[in-house]
Amino acid sequence: MGGDVHGKFLMLAYISVAVCLDLKSERIPNSWILIGWFMGFVFQLHQGLNHILVFLSGAFIPALLLFLLFASRMLGAGDIKLFSVLGGLMGPAVVLQCILYSFLCGAILSVAILIFCGDLIIRLQYFLNYFQRCLQLKQILPYRLGGRNRMEHLHFSVAILMGSLLWIGGIY
């Protein structure tokens, strides 16, 4: 989707709907993910048969890289599947950059939210205690503190949208 303006617009529309779905229902439905994978597959197939490997590698790399964050419940399955859809559309090299920029955007959003909520010190202590518990027990534990409706809960799809916008805007 390098210089294809229509493709980038389509991707932006797709991610925007995913964010709306996530904000409304706290999840990105698998049906929406399947539509994205189909879109990516058709797009890559249109580029040529050899681009099917670009689709497959781009779609699988996010799942492989982010599995540990999912296992510790720091990142939701829908967010990883959304990265997978983007990988199928963007290709493996660009989705790696998208992951990096999305995490940077997520960090900025998280710090802003924690400062706004006044919970920054408490959450930093919780984060350090979490890693101490994991090291002591020598296992990965669920990370989440409390329920999803906490003020500091970040819908990571928003950070993914921001990271994708940086790509669409030509930042990387």
Side-chain angles (χ1 to χ4, degrees), residues 31-109:
S31 57
W32 190 244
I33 296 298
L34 289 172
I35 289 169
W37 279 329
F38 179 74
M39 245 176 33
F41 182 78
V42 169
F43 173 79
Q44 294 297 351
L45 186 61
H46 182 63
Q47 304 298 312
L49 280 177
N50 58 334
H51 279 258
I52 292 175
L53 186 58
V54 172
F55 169 78
L56 291 173
S57 59
F60 281 112
I61 284 175
L64 294 173
L65 285 177
L66 301 173
F67 178 75
L68 190 58
L69 293 176
F70 169 72
S72 58
R73 293 190 178 88
M74 291 182 175
L75 194 62
D79 300 320
I80 294 172
K81 290 183 277 188
L82 183 56
F83 274 130
S84 176
V85 167
L86 296 179
L89 287 163
M90 299 170 149
V94 179
V95 79
L96 290 173
Q97 292 176 318
C98 183
I99 290 169
L100 174 68
Y101 280 96
S102 297
F103 273 90
L104 288 173
C105 290
I108 292 167
L109 282 173

Side-chain angles (χ1 to χ4, degrees), residues 1 5-16 39 89:
M1 267 192 194
V5 175
H6 296 350
K8 287 182 177 181
F9 178 76
L10 181 64
M11 190 178 88
L12 175 60
Y14 176 85
I15 298 169
S16 298
M39 245 176 33
L89 287 163

Side-chain angles (χ1 to χ4, degrees), residues 95-161:
V95 79
L96 290 173
Q97 292 176 318
C98 183
I99 290 169
L100 174 68
Y101 280 96
S102 297
F103 273 90
L104 288 173
C105 290
I108 292 167
L109 282 173
S110 294
V111 169
I113 289 169
L114 291 174
I115 290 171
F116 176 75
C117 292
D119 291 342
L120 181 62
I121 302 300
I122 293 168
R123 290 302 295 216
L124 287 174
Q125 288 173 336
Y126 180 82
F127 182 73
L128 293 173
N129 289 336
Y130 167 79
F131 278 106
Q132 285 177 332
R133 283 192 326 268
C134 289
L135 290 173
Q136 286 172 348
L137 298 173
K138 296 180 180 153
Q139 67 183 37
I140 298 172
L141 302 169
Y143 179 74
R144 284 238 164 115
L145 174 68
R148 290 175 168 240
N149 293 329
R150 294 180 59 90
M151 180 63 179
E152 70 271 10
H153 173 72
L154 174 67
H155 291 270
F156 200 72
S157 61
V158 174
I160 296 170
L161 172 64

